[in-house]
């Protein structure tokens, strides 16, 4: 069974950096697209970025282009999101999801950007 | 505001049938498939319907989806109290080169 576990969230000052990780305990990680989706407190879902199976294709929402980088390590069944130049509006729960249709989701990790 | 438009709220009584709509454009739903997600209070979202009308294993057949033109719909029949949740539509947008979500519909079971 697919189990995704996010980590790396926390409190960071504006302008700071964080690296989120998502570990998959299943056996199909390398065969699937992976996605990051975020949800600001009390708000709806916002797609952030996704990456194809071998990492050769990456897509980002406009608001994070040039600041966030999605990557993956198939040998470690892990997905990453490097977040730089963080802003208050990046405060959210960040979820990772696996599959063409975000078939399975992790429980999320909270990122708070505040001074 | 979201690229995909959903009504903020919907409601129904147990046993009733409710429909949630998602309006897009030619660059997203008009060209690509629609997915639907259910988010129960305090939990992570869950895939409910993919590719317009396909149910993942384990999703009851009370949930169904459809697409017409640039709009998608999610129907829930035999409404149950445990269906009270937020529902989101999503689709790829070929103009933005990005996935886009609807703003979400909060379903209340009266």
């Amino acid at each position: 069974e697919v189990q995704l576990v996010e980590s790396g969230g926390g409190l960071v000052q504006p302008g700071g950096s964080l690296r989120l990780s998502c570990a998959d305990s299943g056996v199909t990680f390398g065969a699937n697209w992976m996605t990051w989706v975020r949800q600001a407190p009390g708000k709806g879902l916002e797609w952030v970025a996704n990456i194809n199976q071998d990492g050769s294709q990456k897509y980002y929402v406009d608001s994070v282009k040039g600041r966030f980088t999605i990557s993956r390590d198939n040998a470690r069944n892990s997905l990453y999101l490097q977040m730089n130049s963080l802003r208050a509006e990046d405060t959210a729960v960040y979820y990772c999801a696996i599959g063409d249709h975000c078939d399975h989701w992790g429980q999320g990790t909270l990122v708070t950007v505040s001074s | 505001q979201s690229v995909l438009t959903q009504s903020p709220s919907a409601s129904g009584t147990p046993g009733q049938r409710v429909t949630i709509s998602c309006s897009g454009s030619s660059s997203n739903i008009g060209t690509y498939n629609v997915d639907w997600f259910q988010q129960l209070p305090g939990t992570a979202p869950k895939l409910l319907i993919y590719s317009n009308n396909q149910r993942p294993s384990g999703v009851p057949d009370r949930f169904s989806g459809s697409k017409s033109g640039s709009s998608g719909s999610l129907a829930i029949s035999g409404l149950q109290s445990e269906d009270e949740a937020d529902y989101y539509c999503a689709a790829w947008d070929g103009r933005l080169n990005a996935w886009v979500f609807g703003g979400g519909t909060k379903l209340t079971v009266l």
Side-chain angles (χ1 to χ4, degrees), chain A residues 25-103:
Chain A
S25 60
V27 297
T28 62
F29 180 84
N32 282 285
W33 279 81
M34 296 296 298
T35 300
W36 287 101
V37 175
R38 66 184 179 184
Q39 186 169 35
K43 302 297 184 182
L45 301 176
E46 181 183 34
W47 175 84
V48 175
N50 65 357
I51 185 170
N52 73 335
Q53 291 85 341
D54 66 2
S56 61
Q57 296 179 55
K58 304 175 184 181
Y59 300 94
Y60 300 90
V61 67
D62 280 349
S63 59
V64 309
K65 284 179 182 174
R67 300 189 300 124
F68 290 11
T69 302
I70 189 171
S71 63
R72 65 189 298 162
D73 183 341
N74 289 343
R76 297 177 184 271
N77 276 13
S78 291
L79 173 73
Y80 305 102
L81 187 67
Q82 177 66 44
M83 304 186 296
N84 299 330
S85 303
L86 282 161
R87 306 166 180 167
E89 53 264 36
D90 296 318
T91 294
V93 173
Y94 285 73
Y95 297 100
C96 66
I98 188 170
D100 291 356
H101 305 279
C102 292
D103 304 55

Side-chain angles (χ1 to χ4, degrees), chain B residues 29-83:
Chain B
I29 296 177
T31 303
Y32 300 96
N33 292 327
V34 181
D35 298 333
W36 289 91
F37 298 88
Q38 177 193 58
Q39 187 175 32
L40 297 170
T43 70
K46 167 191 168 184
L47 179 65
L48 200 62
I49 297 288
Y50 67 96
S51 297
N52 305 324
N53 55 18
Q54 302 299 301
R55 276 189 311 277
S57 61
V59 173
D61 59 7
R62 302 186 296 107
F63 296 91
S64 62
S66 63
K67 176 182 135 174
S68 177
S70 298
S71 292
S73 291
L74 171 71
I76 309 171
S77 59
L79 197 62
Q80 300 179 4
S81 58
E82 55 261 41
D83 298 332

